[in-house]
Each structure stands twice: as C-alpha cells, then as structure tokens.
Amino acid sequence: MAEKIKNDRLSSAVCFVLMLVMVAGALLNGAGKAYAQKRTAVDQAWKECVASVQERTETAYNLLTVAGRYLSPEDADYAKVAEDLKSLQNAESTGSCVSVTVFKADATALLTKLAAMENVKKDSRDSMYVTQMLPQAVEQCSGIEAISAYNTAADNYNSSLNSFSGFLAGLAGVTRATVFSEN
Amino acid sequence: MKHRLTALLLAIMLILSVACGAFAVSYPQQRGNVNDDAAVLSGSTVADIGSLNTKVKNALGLNFVVVTRHFLGGAEAQSYCSGLFRDWNLDSNTILLLLVIGEEKYAVTTGSNVKKYISDEQINSLLSSKLRALYIEKRDYSGAVGNFLLALTAQAAATSGKKIETGGLFGTTAHSTGSSGADAFLGWTGNWAEGFFSNNSYDTTSYGANTSR
C-alpha cells in the first residue's frame, strides 16, 4: 500500500515537472515567435539601410575609377574619397560609416578638381562622367532617412526586449539589434 | 528540446537568409540580344548583331548576347559576366560579351556547347587582337563589338566546316570611329542610373573569357 502511494506521488511529481517543462517550452516558443515577427520589420529596415550604404559605396568606387586615370592615390581629394570608400566597404562589419554629408562634400571636391583639369576636358567620355553622370549620382545619394528609420526600428525592438516576454525571447535565442551610426 | 533545436536552426537560417539577401547581387532585366545600357552602340550595329545572330543560330545553333554598362560599382567584370549568364538563364549555346565602358574592362562568358566550335584560349586571343585596340584605344565600341563577333563567327564556322555569309554586316563601323565612338558622350542626356550601379562585391578585375556551363 505504502509502495503504491509512493509510486503515485512519484508519478504526480513527474507529471507536474513535465507540465512545467511544457508550459515553459510553450512560453519560450511563443515569445520567440512573437519577437521573430518583430525582428522581420527591423531586418527590412536594415535592408534599406544596406541599400543606401551600397549606393554610396558604388558611387565612390565609380568616381575613384575615373579619378584614378588622372590623379595619383596620394592626391588629397582622391585620398579622402578612397578613405570614405574604405569606411563604406567596412560598414556592415563595423556598424558605422562615413555620413552622406561628408561623402558628398569629399566627392564634390574631387569632381570639381577633375572637371577643371584640361586633360579631362579634352576627353569627351570622362568629361561626361565628371560633369554629368557622377555629380548626379553623388547628388542622389541618400542615407540619413534609411539609417534613421533602421535605428528607430532597432531601438524600439531593443526596448521591447527589456520586458518579461523579451527576457523569455532572449532565452529562446532572440538577440538584440545593432544600432548603426554615421560619422 | 527537439522543438527548441528546430527553432534555433530556423532562427539561424532566417539570420543567414537575411544576411545573404543584404549582399545579393542585382542584375538588370535582359532585353533581347543587345542590352546597351551605356548607350554606346550605333543603331546599325544593334541591327547587325541581330542579323549575325540569326545567321549563326541557323548555321551553328550559337547565340550572341551583348551587354554594355558604364560601371560595375566595384564588381569584378568576369564574375559579373558569369553572374549575368546564370541570372538570365542563358543556355549552353550562348556567348555573352560584356563591355564596361567607364572602367575600360570587358569579359566573355560562354556556354559549354560553344567549346565545340571555339575554345576559351581562342576567344581570349580574339579579344586581344580584334576587340581591345578598338575598344580601349579608339573607343570605337560599335567597331570593337562588330570586329570581335565577325572574327568569332569566322573561327566557329571554320571549325564546323560550314560557311556563314557575313558580307555587309558591321561594314560601316568595323574599322572606323563613328557616332558610337567617343563623340557619343557629347551632349549626353541619358538617365544617370542606367548602367551605373551593379552589385556589392569588391575585388580586382581580369580580362578574358571563361566557360559558365
């Protein structure tokens, strides 16, 4: 009789523990799923942020391709844009890059120098690049809006992780979003 | 535990897919056999490429696709050309020629069946002897394309033992600078984004041909 009661209690305890595990699993699963959905919005904003950085990166590369035919890498204006390009290329790993304002100023200075060079003026192709196509590309470079939108989404997401459900989501493997910076 | 592992794996896959998406190479839409995004080819050259394509297709089953871009934004020309070949689902009989005008680079990617008629070494040789000087030094882009495609056709026809009549094609531009040359840039009023942006990979560029499949 005592043995039966002991076994029943053991079974009840096992069932209780199993129930707790299942409830905890359901909570973690639910929290993880909820935050995965929130994360999708952040990831979408990140894609736009990346596209904005990519636009600047390609413009810097194309500008340096043309400038490289006329100026040495030691030229001060060339070197500034080259430094900007390096910053943009490393943006995803460092979480920061040169700002649109600084890039536009550096690119415009280089374009102005190129446009004034006699051998550029004599070259109809490069003259078109330097006076028309590249200035338009530089002017069209955006970034502040996309990066601000991403940082806002990332901040909101990170703040929501400070709640109890966020704590549970953290246990389920959900991580915080990195905030991007321009300098 | 299994569910959590599954959830963890799914999360890793989601992160990877998002990360891959961020670096995805984007290519323009294909518009027939001539995709002159840099607008450097003359109208007659575009028409002649179409005529030559029909003749070569009928005789040998081969197909030419020509692409021009102003810049690749740091992408390597040969990688971009091969990527374009795959992205456009070009078949094993296709020869894809890419000219990157602002970077003064070019690349060719061919399908596996093309090797029956012309090897990569022969294509590289033709690029050096028939395209490079007109393209880089004279900036006669129409002439360079015409000269290269005619030579390539002649080589492939010789290998197959078939005769392909190409008289009159590219006749007005093959060895002279015309409206498609350097002066094509004077009074440029095009869309600055056409042929300007490409993808996000950065490495060095080499000239030449390679086989895609």
Side-chain angles (χ1 to χ4, degrees), chain A residues 57-58 123-125 129 132, chain B residues 104 139 182 188 198-199 202:
Chain A
T57 309
E58 294 198 4
D123 188 308
S124 61
R125 180 195 63 190
Y129 286 147
Q132 296 179 67
Chain B
E104 299 183 343
R139 295 190 192 168
W188 177 82
S198 60
N199 64 29
Y202 299 88

Side-chain angles (χ1 to χ4, degrees), chain B residues 76-206:
Chain B
E76 193 268 323
Q78 189 61 66
S79 301
Y80 185 86
C81 192
S82 300
L84 208 54
F85 195 102
R86 286 190 296 274
D87 190 70
W88 287 358
N89 281 320
L90 299 176
D91 67 23
S92 56
N93 297 311
T94 301
I95 298 156
L96 173 63
L97 169 64
L98 168 71
L99 302 182
V100 192
I101 308 302
E103 298 181 10
E104 299 183 343
K105 291 172 184 171
Y106 52 83
V108 169
T109 298
T110 59
S112 57
N113 286 350
V114 176
K115 274 186 189 297
K116 287 193 292 190
Y117 301 103
I118 189 161
S119 67
D120 287 350
E121 290 73 26
Q122 286 172 315
I123 290 177
N124 274 325
S125 173
L126 292 179
L127 284 169
S128 299
S129 62
K130 302 294 179 184
L131 181 132
R132 188 176 169 78
L134 283 171
Y135 173 53
I136 305 286
E137 290 159 27
K138 295 192 175 177
R139 295 190 192 168
D140 177 6
Y141 305 114
S142 290
V145 169
N147 217 26
F148 172 71
L149 293 183
L150 284 176
L152 199 148
T153 301
Q155 179 70 57
T159 306
S160 70
K162 291 181 180 172
K163 188 171 165 54
I164 301 174
E165 183 54 57
T166 57
L169 294 178
F170 307 105
T172 53
T173 55
H175 290 284
S176 62
T177 49
S179 62
S180 59
D183 289 347
F185 296 101
L186 294 174
W188 177 82
T189 54
N191 176 2
W192 67 275
E194 279 290 325
F196 189 83
F197 292 119
S198 60
N199 64 29
N200 202 24
S201 65
Y202 299 88
D203 42 18
T204 56
T205 293
S206 61

Side-chain angles (χ1 to χ4, degrees), chain B residues 8-25:
Chain B
L8 186 65
L9 284 171
L10 282 172
I12 291 168
M13 284 167 70
L14 178 74
I15 290 164
L16 284 175
S17 66
V18 167
C20 290
F23 292 104
V25 175

Side-chain angles (χ1 to χ4, degrees), chain A residues 46-59 87-92 96-98 141-143 146-147 180 182, chain B residues 200 202:
Chain A
W46 174 246
K47 277 186 185 174
E48 285 165 29
C49 184
V50 167
S52 141
V53 172
Q54 182 171 332
E55 187 183 44
R56 249 175 289 167
T57 309
E58 294 198 4
T59 302
S87 156
L88 291 159
Q89 285 174 320
N90 295 329
E92 294 208 54
S96 69
C97 71
V98 63
C141 278
S142 56
I147 289 169
F180 198 86
E182 285 191 310
Chain B
N200 202 24
Y202 299 88

Side-chain angles (χ1 to χ4, degrees), chain A residues 64-137:
Chain A
L64 290 174
T65 297
V66 177
R69 292 198 269 267
Y70 301 94
L71 299 169
S72 79
E74 285 77 38
D75 177 87
D77 292 318
Y78 182 100
K80 277 185 187 173
V81 177
E83 195 58 37
D84 293 347
L85 175 60
K86 199 181 290 179
S87 156
L88 291 159
Q89 285 174 320
N90 295 329
E92 294 208 54
S93 57
T94 59
S96 69
C97 71
V98 63
S99 70
V100 176
T101 311
V102 172
F103 171 67
K104 280 186 175 177
D106 291 345
T108 303
L110 181 55
L111 282 167
T112 305
K113 177 179 272 185
L114 287 168
M117 294 175 77
E118 284 305 318
N119 45 356
V120 174
K121 286 180 189 171
K122 286 177 189 164
D123 188 308
S124 61
R125 180 195 63 190
D126 287 348
S127 181
M128 183 277 283
Y129 286 147
V130 165
T131 60
Q132 296 179 67
M133 185 178 274
L134 287 165
Q136 285 181 61

Side-chain angles (χ1 to χ4, degrees), chain A residues 17-35 164-165 168-169 171-172, chain B residues 1 3-4 7:
Chain A
V17 170
L18 274 174
M19 185 191 73
L20 283 180
V21 169
M22 287 170 75
V23 167
L27 277 173
L28 286 175
N29 188 38
K33 277 184 180 171
Y35 278 87
F164 178 67
S165 59
L168 289 176
L171 292 178
Chain B
M1 186 58 123
H3 287 292
R4 287 175 67 181

